[in-house]
Amino acid sequence: MHVSPLVWIVTCLVILGLFVFDFFAHVRTPHAPTFRESAFWSAVYIGIALLFGLVVVWAWGSGHGGEYFAGYVTEKALSVDNLFVFVIIMSSFAIPREYQQKVLLIGIVMALVMRGIFIAVGAAAINAYSWVFYLFGFFLVYTAIKLVKDHGHEAEVEQERESRIIGLVKKVLPTTEEFDGDKLITRIDGKKVVTPLLLALVAIGFTDVLFALDSIPAIYGLTSEAYIVFTANAFALMGLRQLYFLIGGLLERLVYLSYGLSIILAFIGLKLVLHALHENTLPFVNGGEHVSVPEISTGLSLLVILGVLVVTTVASLIKTRGDRAASLH
């Protein structure tokens, strides 16, 4: 897959333009978005992502198009799980609903920048050392196990991590518990202080780094093309702010989502290990020769990812509906 520097520049400018538009059209004036507004713009951004996938198919073929769609679905699913953490952070700092948009948009831009760095590092490492796929694979399996282990305790884990981060920030910077509109920094008695909005942004920024550690190895398990990795991440993050307000209440009902994501991450981890064995150069594995193992196709990967997400979503909704019905009797 050859992507010229011009295509990279145009793609980055388009993505930047969409974020700038989002800021001036929706975030600049603080307000609590309605369900209708959130649903409309979520659909718009998902439509743009799907349209871009068709462009990939047209320009580089169905193989790379399938890789993009598999990567996009995986990153979108991981992003939905990340929204649960954002809900915890917003409630911990008691951020008013009308100010949450600004924090979310800045946090999403930070996430894209951090993922861009990880993507570049990951691409360089893969090009230089094929054994990096082993590390990515084992890390994803570890992450999958950790997701299952932490299931049901996500709020406690996040609040403990958050308190350590914010405690460190408060030792370095003067802070206030009062809001001053949607300002991140304000003045009290002529002295600059950090508002709860900036503290929430710091917490989101730190979690963005952790999310990138999970998502980048996951998508590199589906494609080795840096352009597809970057665009799938960018379009998955785009519209995440609207999705936050759209499915905020639904998140509590997706009780099995963590299990579904753990299955997906473990599956991609296995795919990476198989690929690493197929490309093996490590002298202590099969004498440094390639290992003849089956490789998982992109088509099968997409089917498994979609299938797991559908099953876990339906099972979650059935479970919560059953629990709600039982509580009424």
Side-chain angles (χ1 to χ4, degrees):
M1 179 180 184
H2 174 70
V3 183
S4 67
L6 178 61
V7 172
W8 269 103
I9 292 170
V10 170
T11 302
C12 291
L13 288 176
V14 169
I15 291 170
L16 177 62
L18 288 170
F19 276 112
V20 171
F21 165 78
D22 199 19
F23 175 79
F24 283 100
H26 305 111
V27 178
R28 191 178 186 183
T29 302
H31 71 286
T34 63
F35 178 86
R36 182 176 179 180
E37 176 188 340
S38 299
F40 175 78
W41 286 106
S42 290
V44 166
Y45 284 117
I46 290 173
I48 291 173
L50 297 179
L51 183 62
F52 179 80
L54 296 178
V55 171
V56 174
V57 172
W58 170 75
W60 292 287
S62 59
H64 291 306
E67 291 175 357
Y68 167 80
F69 283 116
Y72 172 74
V73 171
T74 300
E75 294 300 327
K76 200 69 174 177
L78 289 169
S79 296
V80 170
D81 190 48
N82 297 346
L83 289 180
F84 180 74
V85 177
F86 291 167
V87 170
I88 295 172
I89 291 173
M90 294 297 183
S91 60
S92 296
F93 292 97
I95 307 296
R97 188 175 173 84
E98 61 269 23
Y99 301 150
Q100 291 179 7
Q101 292 203 92
K102 184 174 183 179
V103 176
L104 285 169
L105 184 63
I106 296 174
I108 289 168
V109 172
M110 289 168 56
L112 184 57
V113 171
M114 291 175 188
R115 291 188 187 196
I117 295 170
F118 276 97
I119 289 167
V121 172
I126 288 169
N127 288 332
Y129 312 104
S130 61
W131 51 262
V132 168
F133 285 112
Y134 284 114
L135 295 182
F136 282 1
F138 290 133
F139 179 74
L140 288 181
V141 173
Y142 164 76
T143 303
I145 295 171
K146 192 172 185 301
L147 266 177
V148 174
K149 184 179 177 182
D150 291 342
H151 180 70
H153 305 284
E154 293 89 350
E156 293 91 332
V157 171
E158 178 57 32
Q159 286 169 353
E160 182 180 349
R161 180 193 302 138
E162 191 180 295
S163 63
R164 291 199 298 266
I165 300 166
I166 300 307
L168 181 61
V169 172
K170 287 184 174 181
K171 288 180 180 178
V172 178
L173 299 173
T175 61
T176 178
E177 302 298 323
E178 302 297 324
F179 291 93
D180 184 8
D182 64 344
K183 292 181 180 179
L184 301 177
I185 298 175
T186 188
R187 285 184 179 273
I188 295 181
D189 298 329
K191 184 180 180 181
K192 284 186 177 182
V193 293
V194 170
T195 70
L197 281 181
L198 185 55
L199 293 178
L201 192 57
V202 169
I204 287 177
F206 183 80
T207 54
D208 283 339
V209 175
L210 300 181
F211 295 157
L213 289 174
D214 296 340
S215 66
I216 300 307
I219 193 170
Y220 267 123
L222 301 169
T223 178
S224 59
E225 299 292 343
Y227 183 75
I228 293 178
V229 173
F230 175 74
T231 52
N233 267 275
F235 286 113
L237 288 171
M238 206 170 292
L240 192 60
R241 178 184 61 79
Q242 291 85 352
L243 199 61
Y244 171 88
F245 292 101
L246 180 63
I247 66 171
L250 182 62
L251 287 174
E252 297 178 358
R253 300 175 63 186
L254 298 177
V255 292
Y256 295 135
L257 179 61
S258 291
Y259 291 128
L261 290 176
S262 67
I263 293 172
I264 291 171
L265 291 177
F267 170 77
I268 298 175
L270 174 63
K271 185 176 187 291
L272 278 168
V273 172
L274 289 175
H275 180 73
L277 288 169
H278 191 266
E279 302 290 329
N280 179 63
T281 57
L282 294 178
F284 54 84
V285 177
N286 198 36
E289 298 296 324
H290 301 341
V291 181
S292 180
V293 293
E295 289 209 75
I296 301 170
S297 68
T298 301
L300 178 59
S301 298
L302 184 56
L303 285 175
V304 170
I305 292 165
L306 289 173
V308 169
L309 289 176
V310 169
V311 170
T312 52
T313 300
V314 172
S316 294
L317 297 179
I318 292 174
K319 172 73 164 57
T320 51
R321 181 180 295 177
D323 290 345
R324 186 174 297 178
S327 65
L328 295 176
H329 291 83

